[in-house]
Amino acid sequence: MGRAFVYVILGGGVAAGYAALEFSRRHVAPGELCIISEESVAPYERPALSKGYLLPENPTSLPQFHTCVGANEERLTPKWYGEKGIELILGTRVKSADLKKKALVTMAGETITYKYLIIATGARALKLEEFGVWGSEAENVCYLRDIADADRMVKVMQSCAGKSAVVIGGGYIGMECTAALVTNKIKVTMVFPEKHLMGRLFTAKMAEFYENYYKERGVKFVKGNVLTSFENDPSGKVTAVILRDGTRIPTDMVVVGIGIRANTSPFDGLDKGGAKLALEKGGIKVNGKMQTSDSSVYAVGDVAAFPVKLFGNDIRRLEHVDSARKTARHAVSAIMAPDETGDLDYLPFFYSRVFALSWQFYGDNVGEVVHFGDFLNSRFGVYWVNEGHIIGAFLEGGAKEDYEAIAKVVKTRSKVSDVGELEKLGLEFAFRE
Ligand code: FAD
């Protein structure tokens, strides 16, 4: 049993959708391309799952947020794929690969061969069990990575209106889920081991702003602590969480957002033919054309570890939607128009939205920190200055042109001769450049 394609995209998430659009623009012939996805729906804009999808009133639903609406591009519905002759092989997990034979084998035993393969398998949510905490399969414990998780979370939230939730994790998934829970009239306690929210990105001053905003909406914080076990009722439902220091927090539901791991399987080890892809930073290592150590195989999105020119070609694995979109398009360009495609010159970018707040971050958060703007009125920002140049910038509550301006100073590594002056000028500095 088998099928053969010229181009195979493995994974059906954000990167797959943007790769399909690029293939279509480059006139892939009907029948040449397929997408194989474990999910049962066509590629969609995953960030919607923790935002519009969880709203109690007028939530977004499919087909509204199929890719590529997130980048104001065409919306690729299942009908679109049909019209283009791009085969969607959904509800299908690939369990192994044979790189020498250019073949993938599905769980059902089907062999699908390719001339070019794009690995777009993304990442999965880390489970509490991986940290030695058991019981997260309880019906009122939620994770959030795919649409099935989001449907489950909506159902649990609906049964908990007016009740309480514990959110484990202080990253952006924890923050966005907390905002959604509060909007659904659920009282939230956030528990995380770091000193403050978004420990990997926010400075203490930035975190203080967001924590105060959350506290004003009734959110409680337990910091510097971790979950160690659950208490359950006879039906198995979680009724309380127990923390490392013995604190017991009664709860009606739990949401866990403790990080992700790239889906490198089925490429982690030697494959059937004894071949192996190079791995780095927990992902699949690629060059500036998104090409892996096997020249017929490309990797894009969350699973790809690629050289970021702006950081001196340091290899990074970025877990953000913009990177998924752009690396996907770049790989297709490298496959279909190799002579015209150079190395990707990507500016790392990440955004989030919670309640009425919205921020964007560009570059890297290393070096001297320069806060600016009005922290009382939700309009502030931060520059990171390294060796006399701006290397990162963050802005809360900006307009489109503000975000474009801060992106530009990071991209051009604007020179800073006087940090005091930069602080005084704030956003104005970006417009002067
Ligand atoms: P994914 O979109 O995860 O797609 C991977 C696909 O591969 C899935 O369909 C999966 O089922 C499939 N797959 C994996 N293994 C196999 C296999 N062996 N066989 C078949 N199929 C397989 N980023 C931001 O910048 N801003 C945000 O606000 C933001 N919000 C987010 C909110 C949520 C709830 C989540 C989960 C993520 C958010 N992100 C955000 C991150 C962003 O969605 C990811 O960076 C992006 O989805 C990565 O795209 P991808 O195609 O690499 O992986």
Side-chain angles (χ1 to χ4, degrees):
M1 190 166 62
R3 279 185 270 186
F5 293 87
V6 182
Y7 311 103
V8 170
I9 301 171
L10 174 57
V14 172
Y18 283 78
L21 181 63
E22 191 64 32
F23 270 121
S24 135
R25 290 199 173 145
R26 291 178 182 273
H27 310 294
V28 69
E32 282 188 339
L33 169 65
C34 80
I35 294 178
I36 310 171
S37 178
E38 202 177 354
E39 290 189 82
S40 57
V41 293
Y44 56 88
E45 301 285 356
R46 201 164 300 281
L49 296 182
S50 52
K51 302 175 184 71
Y53 202 78
L54 300 181
L55 291 178
E57 276 163 36
N58 303 319
T60 12
S61 59
L62 287 177
Q64 283 167 295
F65 60 99
H66 278 302
T67 56
C68 301
V69 291
N72 297 319
E73 301 270 12
E74 259 174 282
R75 186 162 54 103
L76 314 186
T77 58
K79 187 165 166 260
W80 181 90
Y81 290 95
E83 284 166 1
K84 300 287 175 195
I86 298 172
E87 190 147 353
L88 286 177
I89 304 174
L90 302 177
T92 302
R93 181 173 170 76
V94 164
K95 70 162 189 225
S96 62
D98 188 328
L99 296 166
K100 280 189 192 142
K101 290 192 177 144
K102 298 186 192 282
L104 302 173
V105 181
T106 70
M107 291 299 272
E110 186 185 5
T111 298
I112 298 174
T113 58
Y114 57 82
K115 193 162 168 234
Y116 294 98
L117 170 66
I118 298 184
I119 303 170
T121 45
R124 62 173 179 81
L126 283 170
K127 293 277 149 75
L128 284 170
E129 281 73 4
E130 293 169 70
F131 298 88
V133 178
W134 309 102
S136 76
E137 74 289 346
E139 67 181 77
N140 59 340
V141 176
C142 305
Y143 291 88
L144 187 57
R145 182 68 199 181
D146 60 25
I147 205 151
D149 294 337
D151 285 338
R152 179 184 154 104
M153 186 164 158
V154 167
K155 217 169 114 208
V156 179
M157 282 197 301
Q158 283 167 352
S159 69
C160 288
K163 297 183 180 172
S164 63
V166 170
V167 170
I168 306 293
Y172 79 91
I173 292 285
M175 282 186 75
E176 292 189 7
C177 287
T178 296
L181 288 159
V182 171
T183 310
N184 279 274
K185 303 201 175 357
I186 296 168
K187 295 181 259 319
V188 183
T189 303
M190 291 186 79
V191 177
F192 48 86
E194 296 86 9
K195 285 193 190 134
H196 58 67
L197 280 175
M198 293 285 291
R200 282 198 294 170
L201 172 61
F202 288 179
T203 63
K205 189 175 164 80
M206 293 160 77
E208 190 187 3
F209 165 82
Y210 290 99
E211 287 174 14
N212 286 338
Y213 190 97
Y214 273 52
K215 281 180 197 160
E216 283 163 18
R217 281 147 191 83
V219 177
K220 292 188 185 136
F221 292 97
V222 179
K223 303 178 196 176
N225 216 331
V226 293
L227 172 73
T228 49
S229 61
F230 292 117
E231 270 180 24
N232 306 76
D233 70 10
S235 76
K237 260 190 174 180
V238 168
T239 51
V241 299
I242 312 295
L243 308 186
R244 185 174 49 200
D245 67 353
T247 304
R248 175 180 181 277
I249 309 174
T251 190
D252 298 290
M253 68 179 285
V254 178
V255 178
V256 185
I258 52 173
I260 59 174
R261 179 156 298 149
N263 289 321
T264 49
S265 152
F267 305 97
D268 316 298
L270 290 181
D271 71 9
K272 281 184 175 168
K276 188 179 184 321
L277 295 180
L279 302 178
E280 197 166 325
K281 300 266 161 84
I284 295 171
K285 188 179 178 187
V286 293
N287 62 20
K289 294 182 176 58
M290 312 313 293
Q291 193 174 33
T292 69
S293 49
D294 176 323
S295 61
S296 310
V297 181
Y298 292 69
V300 296
D302 283 8
V303 78
F306 66 99
V308 178
K309 267 192 189 174
L310 193 69
F311 305 153
N313 282 328
D314 192 26
I315 302 287
R316 301 280 175 107
R317 199 174 59 73
L318 304 173
E319 300 169 347
H320 306 143
V321 71
D322 182 67
S323 157
R325 292 170 181 156
K326 293 192 175 135
T327 54
R329 299 185 101 153
H330 198 76
V332 176
S333 169
I335 292 169
M336 306 273 284
D339 298 339
E340 294 161 22
T341 310
D343 287 342
L344 180 67
D345 187 5
Y346 181 65
L347 171 63
F349 162 59
F350 176 43
Y351 77 95
S352 179
R353 289 197 305 270
V354 286
F355 297 109
L357 302 175
S358 171
W359 54 258
Q360 297 194 6
F361 168 69
Y362 293 88
D364 213 359
N365 58 334
V366 291
E368 189 175 349
V369 175
V370 179
H371 296 102
F372 62 86
D374 185 352
F375 278 75
L376 291 177
N377 290 301
S378 315
R379 223 178 120 65
F380 62 89
V382 183
Y383 293 116
W384 282 266
V385 182
N386 203 19
E387 293 172 2
H389 295 270
I390 292 190
I391 182 104
F394 174 101
L395 188 65
E396 167 62 55
K400 188 169 173 277
E401 55 276 18
D402 302 335
Y403 290 125
E404 283 167 2
I406 62 159
K408 190 166 156 236
V409 290
V410 177
K411 181 92 190 162
T412 56
R413 299 173 62 98
S414 282
K415 196 169 162 31
V416 176
S417 34
D418 182 346
V419 169
E421 182 70 4
L422 176 67
E423 188 176 2
K424 243 187 273 159
L425 285 172
L427 187 57
E428 182 61 30
F429 176 89
F431 280 100
R432 281 194 187 181
E433 286 297 292

